[in-house]
Amino acid sequence: MGQGRQEQVATSLAGAVSEEISARLAPVDAELERNYPGDPGTRQPVHTVYVPGDAFTADTIRSWGDQALATLDEHACDAASFAAVLGLSDELAGPVYERVRAKLQREPVEDLRVDFEDGYGPRPDAEEDRTAARAARLIAEAYAGGSAAPYMGIRMKCMEAPVRDRGIRTLDIFLTGLMQAGGLPDGLVLTLPKVTCTEQVTAMVRLLEAFEKAHGLRPGHLGFEIQIETSQAILAADGTATVARMIRAAEGRATGLHYGTFDYSACLGVSAAYQASDHPAADHAKAVMQVAAAGTGVRVCDGSTNVLPVGPTEQVHSAWRLHYGLTRRALARAYYQGWDMHPGHLPTRYAAVFAFYREGLEAAAARLARYVNRTGGDVMDEPATAKALSGYLLRGLDCGALDTAEVARLTGLTRADLEGLAAPRRGDLTASAK
């Protein structure tokens, strides 16, 4: 009854009311847009590999891949034996093992940092000068020759007084060397370790501004990662979350927050036997980092394990199971990147990542297809969930866990469609595929 009747629409407020409210909120709108621009939409590597400056060579990346393959050959020479170690299902065993081997042959390292901090230590100035210049030359040659990892850069010494000048000089030598070799590569990443206060972040910003000005680079061209390794970086003396203020102090240059498992744990008095990325202290720190970074475009990176897969097979398998479990745990908590300290960690890094995306592929694709086609189902998804589902598939594609053809077949969507769903406009609660 009453269907088809033309409804009478009535309002009580004058248009000026809405205009006044919009005018009042305009500064807040601008502030939100500035502070929370959303994810940059670029590829995030699944790991970061740290190599001491003196150990980095032109064939480091290939050498890590070859060592990882040799470890597989020796301790898990086929899909069945590898799956038995990690507890992979029969369905996943073959695809994961084959993709791991292919990845180690094609792209063994996704993100590499030449380390001038803890992994390098104090050296004579002349020696560190030469090592920094050499790192710049080798990285420039790798990008020019097509052998570079997707992301590469350095971890300088921190902004603490005893090593500040040395860290600044090393960064200057490295960046200047890259400029002289043809310019800064697109995959360049810089890491500032042991950040304890916002003033150190501001100092890094001013340093990068000075370099950009000296070379005529676009303001804001250089970004950097903030390494969280002290309690002061999480909670300030006044009770506020320091890490949130650090992101703001970076003035849009912060690209990531990297959790330092062992420095942070030691700072809190955790004994060496219990220093791990799944310790409650680690969970608390990363949760604060995650909330502070949400929506800012700054990505959170988990820490590492120092248990190396070396020695007899039983010992290697034990280390593999630990690393695999920690990586899977991190992925479930939305920490999509972590550190790897040894070539033997690469097989389980990629196995964990590939299993994570492959085991959820069909369910995620089906849910996304139902959402796009508005066909319903047993779950009522919203734009925010569609964003998460498409982001999940994109991450799987980027690392090599999934293939474009199989995702398209299961979803009916192109990569461009997925990217549109993964990055809806702020406040668009009705986002959907066109």
Side-chain angles (χ1 to χ4, degrees), residues 194-381:
K194 292 185 175 62
V195 183
T196 58
C197 61
T198 56
E199 289 80 3
Q200 292 171 342
V201 174
T202 299
M204 185 67 166
V205 171
R206 300 287 90 84
L207 177 61
L208 297 181
E209 283 179 343
F211 188 87
E212 289 165 350
K213 185 176 181 180
H215 289 274
L217 297 172
R218 172 183 57 82
H221 180 85
L222 286 164
F224 62 99
E225 299 167 332
I226 301 171
Q227 201 151 18
I228 306 299
E229 300 178 270
T230 66
S231 60
Q232 297 95 329
I234 294 296
L235 193 67
D238 62 1
T240 60
T242 316
V243 65
R245 293 192 284 114
M246 286 178 178
I247 292 173
R248 188 177 180 90
E251 300 176 19
R253 293 178 184 266
T255 58
L257 301 174
H258 282 229
Y259 175 69
T261 303
F262 305 103
D263 283 287
Y264 187 87
S265 299
C267 180
L268 268 62
V270 179
S271 61
Y274 297 97
Q275 292 177 359
S277 60
D278 60 350
H279 190 279
D283 284 341
H284 171 261
K286 287 180 287 188
V288 175
M289 292 162 59
Q290 190 174 45
V291 173
T296 65
V298 178
R299 288 159 167 173
V300 176
C301 176
D302 195 9
S304 60
T305 175
N306 58 0
V307 179
L308 305 184
V310 297
T313 295
E314 183 179 353
Q315 187 171 316
V316 170
H317 286 182
S318 177
W320 270 352
R321 281 189 290 267
L322 174 64
H323 185 240
Y324 178 86
L326 290 173
T327 303
R328 286 300 307 260
R329 184 179 189 273
L331 290 168
R333 286 158 175 76
Y335 308 132
Y336 297 113
Q337 184 178 357
W339 297 13
D340 286 326
M341 300 180 68
H342 188 273
H345 285 143
L346 299 185
T348 38
R349 168 68 61 182
Y350 293 126
V353 171
F354 294 169
F356 177 75
Y357 290 111
R358 293 209 63 79
E359 70 187 16
L361 168 60
E362 292 192 6
R367 284 180 67 178
L368 191 58
R370 287 195 297 268
Y371 171 83
V372 170
N373 296 318
R374 302 183 184 277
T375 56
D378 57 354
V379 179
M380 183 178 291
D381 286 324

Side-chain angles (χ1 to χ4, degrees), residues 58-257:
D59 67 347
T60 289
I61 293 174
R62 185 63 266 151
S63 174
W64 272 58
D66 291 342
Q67 290 180 66
L69 285 166
T71 303
L72 269 180
D73 289 339
E74 181 176 357
H75 301 290
C77 62
D78 55 35
S81 57
F82 194 49
V85 174
L86 303 181
L88 294 174
S89 67
D90 292 342
E91 183 181 4
L92 285 175
V96 166
Y97 188 76
E98 292 165 7
R99 285 172 186 270
V100 167
R101 294 195 69 95
K103 180 76 169 181
L104 294 174
Q105 292 164 350
R106 182 186 73 254
E107 187 183 73
V109 174
E110 292 196 358
D111 183 29
L112 185 143
R113 211 70 72 249
V114 183
D115 190 18
F116 289 90
E117 204 229 356
D118 286 347
Y120 184 73
R123 305 288 180 102
D125 283 339
E127 179 181 348
E128 185 158 339
D129 284 354
R130 290 192 299 270
T131 305
R134 177 170 161 273
R137 175 177 59 80
L138 291 176
I139 287 178
E141 289 173 355
Y143 276 105
S147 63
Y151 299 94
M152 299 183 77
I154 67 166
R155 177 170 72 166
M156 60 190 281
K157 288 180 170 63
C158 69
M159 286 290 181
E160 293 176 353
V163 295
R164 182 183 303 141
D165 290 345
R166 179 63 262 180
I168 291 172
R169 180 172 173 81
T170 295
L171 180 65
D172 186 11
I173 292 171
F174 175 72
L175 292 177
T176 300
L178 288 177
M179 292 298 296
Q180 292 176 340
L184 305 180
D186 290 339
L188 177 66
V189 189
L190 307 174
T191 304
L192 179 65
K194 292 185 175 62
V195 183
T196 58
C197 61
T198 56
E199 289 80 3
Q200 292 171 342
V201 174
T202 299
M204 185 67 166
V205 171
R206 300 287 90 84
L207 177 61
L208 297 181
E209 283 179 343
F211 188 87
E212 289 165 350
K213 185 176 181 180
H215 289 274
L217 297 172
R218 172 183 57 82
H221 180 85
L222 286 164
F224 62 99
E225 299 167 332
I226 301 171
Q227 201 151 18
I228 306 299
E229 300 178 270
T230 66
S231 60
Q232 297 95 329
I234 294 296
L235 193 67
D238 62 1
T240 60
T242 316
V243 65
R245 293 192 284 114
M246 286 178 178
I247 292 173
R248 188 177 180 90
E251 300 176 19
R253 293 178 184 266
T255 58
L257 301 174

Side-chain angles (χ1 to χ4, degrees), residues 7-28:
E7 295 291 345
Q8 296 298 314
V9 178
T11 62
S12 301
L13 301 177
V17 174
S18 179
E19 292 173 3
E20 179 185 353
I21 290 174
S22 293
R24 286 178 179 274
L25 291 178
V28 177

